[in-house]
mmCIF file of all heavy atoms in Angstrom:
data_model
loop_
_atom_site.group_PDB
_atom_site.id
_atom_site.type_symbol
_atom_site.label_atom_id
_atom_site.label_comp_id
_atom_site.label_asym_id
_atom_site.label_seq_id
_atom_site.Cartn_x
_atom_site.Cartn_y
_atom_site.Cartn_z
ATOM 1 N N MET A 1 -68.486 -172.009 44.074
ATOM 2 C CA MET A 1 -68.351 -170.478 44.192
ATOM 3 C C MET A 1 -67.999 -170.125 45.727
ATOM 4 O O MET A 1 -68.810 -170.623 46.631
ATOM 5 C CB MET A 1 -69.506 -169.788 43.811
ATOM 6 C CG MET A 1 -69.380 -168.306 43.479
ATOM 7 S SD MET A 1 -70.664 -167.683 42.419
ATOM 8 C CE MET A 1 -70.364 -168.399 40.845
ATOM 9 N N PRO A 2 -67.045 -169.357 45.956
ATOM 10 C CA PRO A 2 -66.746 -169.127 47.503
ATOM 11 C C PRO A 2 -67.809 -168.354 48.193
ATOM 12 O O PRO A 2 -68.426 -167.517 47.552
ATOM 13 C CB PRO A 2 -65.431 -168.367 47.291
ATOM 14 C CG PRO A 2 -65.420 -167.794 46.006
ATOM 15 C CD PRO A 2 -66.205 -168.670 45.072
ATOM 16 N N LYS A 3 -68.057 -168.717 49.327
ATOM 17 C CA LYS A 3 -68.916 -167.900 50.227
ATOM 18 C C LYS A 3 -68.360 -166.567 50.749
ATOM 19 O O LYS A 3 -69.072 -165.664 50.908
ATOM 20 C CB LYS A 3 -69.440 -168.854 51.320
ATOM 21 C CG LYS A 3 -70.219 -170.072 50.902
ATOM 22 C CD LYS A 3 -70.602 -170.854 52.012
ATOM 23 C CE LYS A 3 -71.339 -172.077 51.576
ATOM 24 N NZ LYS A 3 -71.722 -173.053 52.820
ATOM 25 N N VAL A 4 -67.044 -166.658 51.003
ATOM 26 C CA VAL A 4 -66.473 -165.576 51.486
ATOM 27 C C VAL A 4 -65.382 -164.914 50.462
ATOM 28 O O VAL A 4 -65.039 -165.643 49.487
ATOM 29 C CB VAL A 4 -65.663 -165.820 52.802
ATOM 30 C CG1 VAL A 4 -66.550 -166.221 53.860
ATOM 31 C CG2 VAL A 4 -64.709 -166.782 52.550
ATOM 32 N N ALA A 5 -65.174 -163.671 50.472
ATOM 33 C CA ALA A 5 -64.418 -162.979 49.516
ATOM 34 C C ALA A 5 -62.911 -163.593 49.749
ATOM 35 O O ALA A 5 -62.294 -163.561 50.811
ATOM 36 C CB ALA A 5 -64.304 -161.571 49.742
ATOM 37 N N PRO A 6 -62.323 -164.050 48.555
ATOM 38 C CA PRO A 6 -60.905 -164.621 48.738
ATOM 39 C C PRO A 6 -60.067 -163.436 48.925
ATOM 40 O O PRO A 6 -60.208 -162.284 48.540
ATOM 41 C CB PRO A 6 -60.828 -165.146 47.238
ATOM 42 C CG PRO A 6 -62.051 -165.194 46.612
ATOM 43 C CD PRO A 6 -62.985 -164.159 47.238
ATOM 44 N N VAL A 7 -58.932 -163.830 49.649
ATOM 45 C CA VAL A 7 -57.816 -162.804 50.017
ATOM 46 C C VAL A 7 -56.588 -163.298 49.278
ATOM 47 O O VAL A 7 -56.280 -164.592 49.474
ATOM 48 C CB VAL A 7 -57.662 -162.746 51.543
ATOM 49 C CG1 VAL A 7 -56.515 -161.719 51.651
ATOM 50 C CG2 VAL A 7 -58.927 -162.372 52.221
ATOM 51 N N CYS A 8 -55.879 -162.532 48.541
ATOM 52 C CA CYS A 8 -54.678 -162.755 47.852
ATOM 53 C C CYS A 8 -53.694 -163.269 48.910
ATOM 54 O O CYS A 8 -53.415 -162.492 49.713
ATOM 55 C CB CYS A 8 -54.213 -161.780 47.029
ATOM 56 S SG CYS A 8 -52.650 -162.080 46.177
ATOM 57 N N ALA A 9 -52.995 -164.405 48.684
ATOM 58 C CA ALA A 9 -52.007 -164.808 49.657
ATOM 59 C C ALA A 9 -50.717 -163.999 49.420
ATOM 60 O O ALA A 9 -49.786 -164.059 50.305
ATOM 61 C CB ALA A 9 -51.662 -166.176 49.435
ATOM 62 N N ILE A 10 -50.505 -163.340 48.407
ATOM 63 C CA ILE A 10 -49.238 -162.592 48.045
ATOM 64 C C ILE A 10 -49.474 -161.196 48.500
ATOM 65 O O ILE A 10 -48.584 -160.608 49.318
ATOM 66 C CB ILE A 10 -48.985 -162.777 46.590
ATOM 67 C CG1 ILE A 10 -48.704 -164.287 46.293
ATOM 68 C CG2 ILE A 10 -47.735 -161.816 46.364
ATOM 69 C CD1 ILE A 10 -48.380 -164.510 44.760
ATOM 70 N N CYS A 11 -50.449 -160.417 47.933
ATOM 71 C CA CYS A 11 -50.447 -158.982 48.341
ATOM 72 C C CYS A 11 -51.512 -158.659 49.406
ATOM 73 O O CYS A 11 -51.562 -157.540 49.817
ATOM 74 C CB CYS A 11 -50.668 -158.278 47.054
ATOM 75 S SG CYS A 11 -52.355 -158.454 46.224
ATOM 76 N N GLY A 12 -52.403 -159.673 49.719
ATOM 77 C CA GLY A 12 -53.272 -159.235 50.722
ATOM 78 C C GLY A 12 -54.576 -158.703 50.229
ATOM 79 O O GLY A 12 -55.443 -158.291 51.058
ATOM 80 N N LYS A 13 -54.791 -158.515 48.974
ATOM 81 C CA LYS A 13 -55.856 -157.892 48.405
ATOM 82 C C LYS A 13 -57.072 -158.725 48.622
ATOM 83 O O LYS A 13 -57.131 -159.895 48.464
ATOM 84 C CB LYS A 13 -55.693 -157.616 46.858
ATOM 85 C CG LYS A 13 -56.764 -157.106 46.116
ATOM 86 C CD LYS A 13 -56.359 -156.983 44.615
ATOM 87 C CE LYS A 13 -57.627 -156.699 43.744
ATOM 88 N NZ LYS A 13 -57.173 -156.734 42.362
ATOM 89 N N VAL A 14 -58.172 -158.049 48.882
ATOM 90 C CA VAL A 14 -59.382 -158.809 49.076
ATOM 91 C C VAL A 14 -60.222 -158.629 47.883
ATOM 92 O O VAL A 14 -60.400 -157.542 47.385
ATOM 93 C CB VAL A 14 -60.197 -158.282 50.267
ATOM 94 C CG1 VAL A 14 -61.520 -158.886 50.477
ATOM 95 C CG2 VAL A 14 -59.368 -158.313 51.552
ATOM 96 N N ALA A 15 -60.821 -159.779 47.415
ATOM 97 C CA ALA A 15 -61.637 -159.768 46.172
ATOM 98 C C ALA A 15 -62.840 -158.923 46.406
ATOM 99 O O ALA A 15 -63.677 -159.197 47.334
ATOM 100 C CB ALA A 15 -61.963 -161.137 45.745
ATOM 101 N N ALA A 16 -63.143 -157.946 45.546
ATOM 102 C CA ALA A 16 -64.363 -157.118 45.639
ATOM 103 C C ALA A 16 -65.606 -157.964 45.273
ATOM 104 O O ALA A 16 -66.605 -157.782 45.685
ATOM 105 C CB ALA A 16 -64.264 -155.792 44.778
ATOM 106 N N ASP A 17 -65.403 -158.872 44.384
ATOM 107 C CA ASP A 17 -66.383 -159.611 43.718
ATOM 108 C C ASP A 17 -65.919 -161.036 43.736
ATOM 109 O O ASP A 17 -65.174 -161.510 42.991
ATOM 110 C CB ASP A 17 -66.734 -159.081 42.276
ATOM 111 C CG ASP A 17 -67.969 -159.776 41.785
ATOM 112 O OD1 ASP A 17 -68.377 -160.829 42.306
ATOM 113 O OD2 ASP A 17 -68.526 -159.252 40.793
ATOM 114 N N PRO A 18 -66.426 -161.866 44.744
ATOM 115 C CA PRO A 18 -66.047 -163.217 44.829
ATOM 116 C C PRO A 18 -66.439 -164.151 43.646
ATOM 117 O O PRO A 18 -65.584 -165.009 43.263
ATOM 118 C CB PRO A 18 -66.959 -163.701 46.160
ATOM 119 C CG PRO A 18 -67.217 -162.522 46.876
ATOM 120 C CD PRO A 18 -67.321 -161.346 45.874
ATOM 121 N N ALA A 19 -67.554 -163.702 42.978
ATOM 122 C CA ALA A 19 -67.930 -164.413 41.779
ATOM 123 C C ALA A 19 -66.863 -164.294 40.595
ATOM 124 O O ALA A 19 -66.563 -165.225 39.931
ATOM 125 C CB ALA A 19 -69.259 -164.031 41.410
ATOM 126 N N LEU A 20 -66.466 -163.069 40.450
ATOM 127 C CA LEU A 20 -65.457 -162.686 39.523
ATOM 128 C C LEU A 20 -64.174 -163.312 39.898
ATOM 129 O O LEU A 20 -63.475 -163.631 38.938
ATOM 130 C CB LEU A 20 -65.378 -161.156 39.451
ATOM 131 C CG LEU A 20 -64.428 -160.672 38.359
ATOM 132 C CD1 LEU A 20 -64.868 -161.054 36.877
ATOM 133 C CD2 LEU A 20 -64.410 -159.080 38.361
ATOM 134 N N ALA A 21 -63.796 -163.220 41.131
ATOM 135 C CA ALA A 21 -62.562 -163.784 41.571
ATOM 136 C C ALA A 21 -62.371 -165.191 41.319
ATOM 137 O O ALA A 21 -61.336 -165.646 40.959
ATOM 138 C CB ALA A 21 -62.223 -163.430 42.908
ATOM 139 N N ALA A 22 -63.515 -165.929 41.314
ATOM 140 C CA ALA A 22 -63.593 -167.368 41.177
ATOM 141 C C ALA A 22 -63.179 -167.645 39.679
ATOM 142 O O ALA A 22 -62.556 -168.673 39.545
ATOM 143 C CB ALA A 22 -64.893 -167.817 41.571
ATOM 144 N N ILE A 23 -63.286 -166.590 38.932
ATOM 145 C CA ILE A 23 -62.930 -166.823 37.464
ATOM 146 C C ILE A 23 -61.508 -166.420 37.235
ATOM 147 O O ILE A 23 -60.691 -167.021 36.461
ATOM 148 C CB ILE A 23 -63.963 -166.105 36.622
ATOM 149 C CG1 ILE A 23 -65.323 -166.660 36.937
ATOM 150 C CG2 ILE A 23 -63.587 -166.313 35.081
ATOM 151 C CD1 ILE A 23 -66.389 -165.716 36.147
ATOM 152 N N THR A 24 -61.271 -165.207 37.586
ATOM 153 C CA THR A 24 -59.975 -164.547 37.414
ATOM 154 C C THR A 24 -58.825 -164.793 38.312
ATOM 155 O O THR A 24 -57.682 -164.548 37.894
ATOM 156 C CB THR A 24 -60.155 -163.045 37.247
ATOM 157 O OG1 THR A 24 -60.572 -162.496 38.567
ATOM 158 C CG2 THR A 24 -61.185 -162.667 36.242
ATOM 159 N N TRP A 25 -59.024 -165.186 39.553
ATOM 160 C CA TRP A 25 -58.064 -165.392 40.352
ATOM 161 C C TRP A 25 -57.595 -166.939 40.381
ATOM 162 O O TRP A 25 -58.312 -167.701 39.872
ATOM 163 C CB TRP A 25 -58.510 -165.168 42.003
ATOM 164 C CG TRP A 25 -58.604 -163.718 42.226
ATOM 165 C CD1 TRP A 25 -58.949 -162.737 41.290
ATOM 166 C CD2 TRP A 25 -58.433 -163.163 43.464
ATOM 167 N NE1 TRP A 25 -59.023 -161.583 42.124
ATOM 168 C CE2 TRP A 25 -58.678 -161.845 43.312
ATOM 169 C CE3 TRP A 25 -58.066 -163.602 44.779
ATOM 170 C CZ2 TRP A 25 -58.594 -160.763 44.510
ATOM 171 C CZ3 TRP A 25 -57.893 -162.775 45.871
ATOM 172 C CH2 TRP A 25 -58.166 -161.297 45.552
ATOM 173 N N ALA A 26 -56.332 -167.209 40.787
ATOM 174 C CA ALA A 26 -55.733 -168.504 40.745
ATOM 175 C C ALA A 26 -56.058 -169.073 42.106
ATOM 176 O O ALA A 26 -55.785 -168.415 43.174
ATOM 177 C CB ALA A 26 -54.212 -168.483 40.421
ATOM 178 N N ARG A 27 -56.622 -170.419 42.074
ATOM 179 C CA ARG A 27 -56.861 -170.912 43.303
ATOM 180 C C ARG A 27 -55.955 -172.183 43.597
ATOM 181 O O ARG A 27 -56.006 -172.987 42.580
ATOM 182 C CB ARG A 27 -58.304 -171.322 43.451
ATOM 183 C CG ARG A 27 -58.726 -172.071 44.686
ATOM 184 C CD ARG A 27 -60.266 -172.600 44.559
ATOM 185 N NE ARG A 27 -60.501 -173.375 45.690
ATOM 186 C CZ ARG A 27 -61.828 -173.977 45.740
ATOM 187 N NH1 ARG A 27 -62.644 -173.727 44.850
ATOM 188 N NH2 ARG A 27 -62.137 -174.722 46.700
ATOM 189 N N GLY A 28 -55.470 -172.395 44.543
ATOM 190 C CA GLY A 28 -54.621 -173.569 44.879
ATOM 191 C C GLY A 28 -54.991 -174.147 46.293
ATOM 192 O O GLY A 28 -55.755 -173.528 46.981
ATOM 193 N N THR A 29 -54.471 -175.304 46.477
ATOM 194 C CA THR A 29 -54.730 -175.745 47.849
ATOM 195 C C THR A 29 -53.487 -176.235 48.507
ATOM 196 O O THR A 29 -52.534 -176.772 47.908
ATOM 197 C CB THR A 29 -55.561 -177.208 47.648
ATOM 198 O OG1 THR A 29 -56.841 -176.966 46.913
ATOM 199 C CG2 THR A 29 -55.952 -177.763 48.935
ATOM 200 N N GLU A 30 -53.358 -175.785 49.706
ATOM 201 C CA GLU A 30 -52.208 -175.986 50.591
ATOM 202 C C GLU A 30 -52.479 -176.487 51.878
ATOM 203 O O GLU A 30 -53.296 -175.870 52.648
ATOM 204 C CB GLU A 30 -51.528 -174.748 50.551
ATOM 205 C CG GLU A 30 -50.029 -174.846 50.755
ATOM 206 C CD GLU A 30 -49.177 -173.509 50.395
ATOM 207 O OE1 GLU A 30 -49.014 -173.095 49.271
ATOM 208 O OE2 GLU A 30 -48.991 -172.856 51.481
ATOM 209 N N ASN A 31 -52.056 -177.698 52.193
ATOM 210 C CA ASN A 31 -52.477 -178.216 53.595
ATOM 211 C C ASN A 31 -53.966 -178.273 53.826
ATOM 212 O O ASN A 31 -54.325 -178.018 54.933
ATOM 213 C CB ASN A 31 -51.619 -177.469 54.654
ATOM 214 C CG ASN A 31 -50.192 -177.467 54.419
ATOM 215 O OD1 ASN A 31 -49.562 -178.377 54.069
ATOM 216 N ND2 ASN A 31 -49.641 -176.380 54.735
ATOM 217 N N GLY A 32 -54.649 -178.544 52.781
ATOM 218 C CA GLY A 32 -56.117 -178.599 52.849
ATOM 219 C C GLY A 32 -56.835 -177.388 52.930
ATOM 220 O O GLY A 32 -58.011 -177.236 52.972
ATOM 221 N N ARG A 33 -56.122 -176.292 52.763
ATOM 222 C CA ARG A 33 -56.698 -174.938 52.721
ATOM 223 C C ARG A 33 -56.609 -174.333 51.342
ATOM 224 O O ARG A 33 -55.778 -174.633 50.618
ATOM 225 C CB ARG A 33 -56.122 -173.958 53.826
ATOM 226 C CG ARG A 33 -56.297 -174.433 55.248
ATOM 227 C CD ARG A 33 -55.456 -173.429 56.022
ATOM 228 N NE ARG A 33 -55.877 -172.144 55.847
ATOM 229 C CZ ARG A 33 -55.387 -171.052 56.447
ATOM 230 N NH1 ARG A 33 -54.235 -171.204 57.251
ATOM 231 N NH2 ARG A 33 -55.891 -169.840 56.300
ATOM 232 N N ASP A 34 -57.708 -173.554 51.074
ATOM 233 C CA ASP A 34 -57.722 -172.766 49.817
ATOM 234 C C ASP A 34 -56.617 -171.536 49.912
ATOM 235 O O ASP A 34 -56.727 -170.893 50.797
ATOM 236 C CB ASP A 34 -59.083 -172.323 49.424
ATOM 237 C CG ASP A 34 -59.972 -173.421 49.065
ATOM 238 O OD1 ASP A 34 -59.499 -174.457 48.668
ATOM 239 O OD2 ASP A 34 -61.183 -173.234 49.105
ATOM 240 N N VAL A 35 -55.873 -171.515 48.768
ATOM 241 C CA VAL A 35 -54.965 -170.380 48.750
ATOM 242 C C VAL A 35 -55.295 -169.595 47.466
ATOM 243 O O VAL A 35 -55.162 -170.248 46.401
ATOM 244 C CB VAL A 35 -53.457 -170.875 48.806
ATOM 245 C CG1 VAL A 35 -52.474 -169.707 48.687
ATOM 246 C CG2 VAL A 35 -53.237 -171.731 50.048
ATOM 247 N N TRP A 36 -55.540 -168.469 47.595
ATOM 248 C CA TRP A 36 -56.008 -167.561 46.511
ATOM 249 C C TRP A 36 -54.818 -166.636 46.037
ATOM 250 O O TRP A 36 -54.131 -166.121 46.783
ATOM 251 C CB TRP A 36 -57.229 -166.849 46.730
ATOM 252 C CG TRP A 36 -58.456 -167.581 46.821
ATOM 253 C CD1 TRP A 36 -58.893 -168.138 47.987
ATOM 254 C CD2 TRP A 36 -59.454 -167.935 45.800
ATOM 255 N NE1 TRP A 36 -59.983 -168.888 47.723
ATOM 256 C CE2 TRP A 36 -60.387 -168.783 46.344
ATOM 257 C CE3 TRP A 36 -59.360 -167.700 44.448
ATOM 258 C CZ2 TRP A 36 -61.369 -169.231 45.550
ATOM 259 C CZ3 TRP A 36 -60.420 -168.060 43.585
ATOM 260 C CH2 TRP A 36 -61.399 -168.950 44.213
ATOM 261 N N THR A 37 -54.704 -166.464 44.773
ATOM 262 C CA THR A 37 -53.907 -165.468 44.233
ATOM 263 C C THR A 37 -54.484 -164.592 43.277
ATOM 264 O O THR A 37 -55.204 -165.184 42.281
ATOM 265 C CB THR A 37 -52.602 -166.212 43.596
ATOM 266 O OG1 THR A 37 -52.061 -167.207 44.505
ATOM 267 C CG2 THR A 37 -51.527 -165.184 43.143
ATOM 268 N N CYS A 38 -54.476 -163.363 43.419
ATOM 269 C CA CYS A 38 -55.235 -162.375 42.676
ATOM 270 C C CYS A 38 -54.706 -162.422 41.193
ATOM 271 O O CYS A 38 -53.596 -162.928 40.948
ATOM 272 C CB CYS A 38 -55.223 -161.067 43.161
ATOM 273 S SG CYS A 38 -53.658 -160.090 43.041
ATOM 274 N N ASP A 39 -55.566 -161.807 40.412
ATOM 275 C CA ASP A 39 -55.126 -161.903 38.896
ATOM 276 C C ASP A 39 -53.763 -161.278 38.537
ATOM 277 O O ASP A 39 -52.932 -161.755 37.801
ATOM 278 C CB ASP A 39 -56.275 -161.267 38.060
ATOM 279 C CG ASP A 39 -56.622 -159.919 38.553
ATOM 280 O OD1 ASP A 39 -56.176 -159.473 39.605
ATOM 281 O OD2 ASP A 39 -57.408 -159.211 37.828
ATOM 282 N N ARG A 40 -53.491 -160.190 39.277
ATOM 283 C CA ARG A 40 -52.242 -159.407 39.088
ATOM 284 C C ARG A 40 -51.117 -160.335 39.509
ATOM 285 O O ARG A 40 -50.130 -160.469 38.886
ATOM 286 C CB ARG A 40 -52.374 -158.114 39.639
ATOM 287 C CG ARG A 40 -51.207 -157.230 39.323
ATOM 288 C CD ARG A 40 -51.465 -155.930 39.872
ATOM 289 N NE ARG A 40 -50.132 -155.178 40.202
ATOM 290 C CZ ARG A 40 -50.159 -154.072 40.945
ATOM 291 N NH1 ARG A 40 -51.159 -153.567 41.510
ATOM 292 N NH2 ARG A 40 -48.856 -153.478 41.022
ATOM 293 N N CYS A 41 -51.207 -160.901 40.826
ATOM 294 C CA CYS A 41 -50.073 -161.484 41.373
ATOM 295 C C CYS A 41 -49.929 -162.803 40.708
ATOM 296 O O CYS A 41 -48.778 -163.324 40.583
ATOM 297 C CB CYS A 41 -50.356 -161.780 42.902
ATOM 298 S SG CYS A 41 -50.166 -160.377 43.859
ATOM 299 N N SER A 42 -51.011 -163.503 40.192
ATOM 300 C CA SER A 42 -50.829 -164.853 39.479
ATOM 301 C C SER A 42 -50.107 -164.628 38.306
ATOM 302 O O SER A 42 -49.294 -165.434 37.741
ATOM 303 C CB SER A 42 -52.318 -165.379 39.345
ATOM 304 O OG SER A 42 -52.952 -164.610 38.425
ATOM 305 N N ARG A 43 -50.269 -163.394 37.529
ATOM 306 C CA ARG A 43 -49.437 -163.100 36.392
ATOM 307 C C ARG A 43 -47.940 -162.941 36.747
ATOM 308 O O ARG A 43 -47.141 -163.453 36.127
ATOM 309 C CB ARG A 43 -49.923 -161.969 35.722
ATOM 310 C CG ARG A 43 -51.027 -162.286 34.614
ATOM 311 C CD ARG A 43 -51.167 -161.130 33.631
ATOM 312 N NE ARG A 43 -51.747 -159.869 34.282
ATOM 313 C CZ ARG A 43 -53.076 -159.763 34.483
ATOM 314 N NH1 ARG A 43 -53.921 -160.551 34.061
ATOM 315 N NH2 ARG A 43 -53.474 -158.727 35.060
ATOM 316 N N GLU A 44 -47.695 -162.204 37.694
ATOM 317 C CA GLU A 44 -46.394 -161.877 38.107
ATOM 318 C C GLU A 44 -45.585 -163.058 38.758
ATOM 319 O O GLU A 44 -44.397 -163.202 38.505
ATOM 320 C CB GLU A 44 -46.417 -160.792 39.272
ATOM 321 C CG GLU A 44 -46.825 -159.423 38.625
ATOM 322 C CD GLU A 44 -46.767 -158.357 39.800
ATOM 323 O OE1 GLU A 44 -46.315 -158.702 40.847
ATOM 324 O OE2 GLU A 44 -47.208 -157.286 39.603
ATOM 325 N N HIS A 45 -46.328 -164.062 39.346
ATOM 326 C CA HIS A 45 -45.648 -165.083 39.979
ATOM 327 C C HIS A 45 -45.971 -166.476 39.209
ATOM 328 O O HIS A 45 -45.928 -167.540 39.683
ATOM 329 C CB HIS A 45 -46.082 -165.253 41.315
ATOM 330 C CG HIS A 45 -45.668 -164.035 42.186
ATOM 331 N ND1 HIS A 45 -44.489 -163.955 42.694
ATOM 332 C CD2 HIS A 45 -46.385 -162.887 42.436
ATOM 333 C CE1 HIS A 45 -44.280 -162.734 43.356
ATOM 334 N NE2 HIS A 45 -45.427 -162.147 43.186
ATOM 335 N N LEU A 46 -46.398 -166.251 37.848
ATOM 336 C CA LEU A 46 -46.994 -167.463 37.214
ATOM 337 C C LEU A 46 -45.799 -168.496 37.152
ATOM 338 O O LEU A 46 -46.024 -169.713 37.400
ATOM 339 C CB LEU A 46 -47.280 -167.032 35.677
ATOM 340 C CG LEU A 46 -48.026 -168.111 34.927
ATOM 341 C CD1 LEU A 46 -49.238 -168.517 35.637
ATOM 342 C CD2 LEU A 46 -48.263 -167.659 33.630
ATOM 343 N N ARG A 47 -44.540 -168.112 36.855
ATOM 344 C CA ARG A 47 -43.592 -169.086 36.685
ATOM 345 C C ARG A 47 -43.309 -169.845 37.975
ATOM 346 O O ARG A 47 -43.082 -171.151 38.038
ATOM 347 C CB ARG A 47 -42.292 -168.409 36.270
ATOM 348 C CG ARG A 47 -42.268 -168.020 34.787
ATOM 349 C CD ARG A 47 -40.940 -167.334 34.457
ATOM 350 N NE ARG A 47 -39.880 -168.164 34.533
ATOM 351 C CZ ARG A 47 -38.576 -167.816 34.330
ATOM 352 N NH1 ARG A 47 -38.241 -166.489 34.246
ATOM 353 N NH2 ARG A 47 -37.575 -168.720 34.519
ATOM 354 N N SER A 48 -43.331 -169.121 38.936
ATOM 355 C CA SER A 48 -43.081 -169.747 40.426
ATOM 356 C C SER A 48 -44.283 -170.719 40.628
ATOM 357 O O SER A 48 -44.003 -171.753 41.197
ATOM 358 C CB SER A 48 -43.018 -168.766 41.483
ATOM 359 O OG SER A 48 -41.867 -167.829 41.299
ATOM 360 N N ILE A 49 -45.470 -170.303 40.439
ATOM 361 C CA ILE A 49 -46.521 -171.139 40.695
ATOM 362 C C ILE A 49 -46.529 -172.371 39.878
ATOM 363 O O ILE A 49 -46.764 -173.396 40.447
ATOM 364 C CB ILE A 49 -47.872 -170.303 40.434
ATOM 365 C CG1 ILE A 49 -48.068 -169.210 41.541
ATOM 366 C CG2 ILE A 49 -49.101 -171.191 40.649
ATOM 367 C CD1 ILE A 49 -49.094 -168.250 41.184
ATOM 368 N N GLU A 50 -46.214 -172.140 38.728
ATOM 369 C CA GLU A 50 -46.252 -173.401 37.788
ATOM 370 C C GLU A 50 -45.130 -174.350 38.207
ATOM 371 O O GLU A 50 -45.185 -175.443 37.857
ATOM 372 C CB GLU A 50 -46.157 -172.949 36.383
ATOM 373 C CG GLU A 50 -47.492 -172.237 35.777
ATOM 374 C CD GLU A 50 -47.384 -172.093 34.265
ATOM 375 O OE1 GLU A 50 -46.170 -171.945 33.751
ATOM 376 O OE2 GLU A 50 -48.332 -171.877 33.733
ATOM 377 N N GLY A 51 -44.140 -173.798 38.669
ATOM 378 C CA GLY A 51 -42.916 -174.518 39.147
ATOM 379 C C GLY A 51 -43.230 -175.179 40.421
ATOM 380 O O GLY A 51 -42.369 -176.110 40.933
ATOM 381 N N LYS A 52 -44.419 -175.123 40.908
ATOM 382 C CA LYS A 52 -44.696 -175.729 42.233
ATOM 383 C C LYS A 52 -43.882 -175.583 43.349
ATOM 384 O O LYS A 52 -43.463 -176.435 44.136
ATOM 385 C CB LYS A 52 -45.120 -177.235 41.947
ATOM 386 C CG LYS A 52 -46.211 -177.550 41.054
ATOM 387 C CD LYS A 52 -46.394 -179.049 40.847
ATOM 388 C CE LYS A 52 -47.386 -179.341 39.828
ATOM 389 N NZ LYS A 52 -48.765 -178.798 40.194
ATOM 390 N N LEU A 53 -43.337 -174.285 43.431
ATOM 391 C CA LEU A 53 -42.461 -173.980 44.473
ATOM 392 C C LEU A 53 -43.140 -173.954 45.749
ATOM 393 O O LEU A 53 -44.266 -173.519 45.909
ATOM 394 C CB LEU A 53 -41.788 -172.644 44.256
ATOM 395 C CG LEU A 53 -40.702 -172.578 43.105
ATOM 396 C CD1 LEU A 53 -40.184 -171.185 43.083
ATOM 397 C CD2 LEU A 53 -39.587 -173.484 43.480
ATOM 398 N N ASP A 54 -42.399 -174.211 46.833
ATOM 399 C CA ASP A 54 -42.909 -174.134 48.202
ATOM 400 C C ASP A 54 -43.459 -172.654 48.434
ATOM 401 O O ASP A 54 -42.760 -171.779 47.983
ATOM 402 C CB ASP A 54 -42.057 -174.516 49.172
ATOM 403 C CG ASP A 54 -42.574 -174.638 50.660
ATOM 404 O OD1 ASP A 54 -42.750 -173.651 51.309
ATOM 405 O OD2 ASP A 54 -42.832 -175.847 51.061
ATOM 406 N N SER A 55 -44.462 -172.400 49.097
ATOM 407 C CA SER A 55 -45.007 -171.057 49.203
ATOM 408 C C SER A 55 -44.276 -170.325 50.477
ATOM 409 O O SER A 55 -44.559 -169.272 50.765
ATOM 410 C CB SER A 55 -46.455 -171.005 49.569
ATOM 411 O OG SER A 55 -46.791 -171.675 50.605
ATOM 412 N N ALA A 56 -43.266 -170.929 51.029
ATOM 413 C CA ALA A 56 -42.629 -170.313 52.219
ATOM 414 C C ALA A 56 -41.973 -169.100 51.914
ATOM 415 O O ALA A 56 -41.860 -168.155 52.769
ATOM 416 C CB ALA A 56 -41.502 -171.278 52.656
ATOM 417 N N TRP A 57 -41.778 -168.800 50.460
ATOM 418 C CA TRP A 57 -41.112 -167.543 50.070
ATOM 419 C C TRP A 57 -42.093 -166.389 50.125
ATOM 420 O O TRP A 57 -41.786 -165.182 50.071
ATOM 421 C CB TRP A 57 -40.454 -167.666 48.787
ATOM 422 C CG TRP A 57 -41.520 -168.202 47.780
ATOM 423 C CD1 TRP A 57 -41.871 -169.300 47.417
ATOM 424 C CD2 TRP A 57 -42.175 -167.362 46.772
ATOM 425 N NE1 TRP A 57 -42.788 -169.354 46.426
ATOM 426 C CE2 TRP A 57 -43.018 -168.072 46.004
ATOM 427 C CE3 TRP A 57 -42.077 -165.872 46.650
ATOM 428 C CZ2 TRP A 57 -43.780 -167.536 44.983
ATOM 429 C CZ3 TRP A 57 -42.960 -165.312 45.638
ATOM 430 C CH2 TRP A 57 -43.723 -166.208 44.805
ATOM 431 N N TRP A 58 -43.412 -166.806 50.227
ATOM 432 C CA TRP A 58 -44.445 -165.648 50.376
ATOM 433 C C TRP A 58 -44.203 -165.064 51.595
ATOM 434 O O TRP A 58 -44.729 -164.007 51.968
ATOM 435 C CB TRP A 58 -45.886 -166.198 50.232
ATOM 436 C CG TRP A 58 -46.053 -166.799 48.702
ATOM 437 C CD1 TRP A 58 -45.361 -166.498 47.618
ATOM 438 C CD2 TRP A 58 -47.188 -167.490 48.306
ATOM 439 N NE1 TRP A 58 -45.867 -166.999 46.460
ATOM 440 C CE2 TRP A 58 -47.094 -167.591 46.991
ATOM 441 C CE3 TRP A 58 -48.308 -167.997 48.958
ATOM 442 C CZ2 TRP A 58 -48.000 -168.308 46.135
ATOM 443 C CZ3 TRP A 58 -49.261 -168.660 48.269
ATOM 444 C CH2 TRP A 58 -49.132 -168.799 46.826
HETATM 445 ZN ZN1 ZN B 101 -52.350 -160.158 44.788
#
């Protein structure tokens, strides 16, 4: 469980509830860092994420 509130890498939204975000948000690892995507963005960008596209387009 994250100690700090995750921040969406796409829209910049800050998770109001880190415990809930740990369940509903998508978590990835990039260059050794955790990258979070909120529930809404993860749905919108699901295809891109699953395609393992480089995140430079963010
Ligand atoms: Zn988002």
Side-chain angles (χ1 to χ4, degrees):
M1 204 164 289
K3 293 176 182 175
V4 296
V7 179
C8 178
I10 296 177
C11 69
K13 175 183 171 185
V14 180
D17 186 341
L20 182 63
I23 301 171
T24 59
W25 287 32
R27 178 186 172 185
T29 305
E30 208 168 274
N31 300 322
R33 293 180 57 189
D34 286 344
V35 178
W36 289 89
T37 307
C38 72
D39 50 353
R40 191 173 152 193
C41 288
S42 62
R43 269 197 296 271
E44 291 182 4
H45 298 275
L46 189 60
R47 287 181 63 190
S48 299
I49 293 171
E50 289 189 338
K52 296 184 184 297
L53 286 180
D54 189 281
S55 66
W57 60 275
W58 287 350

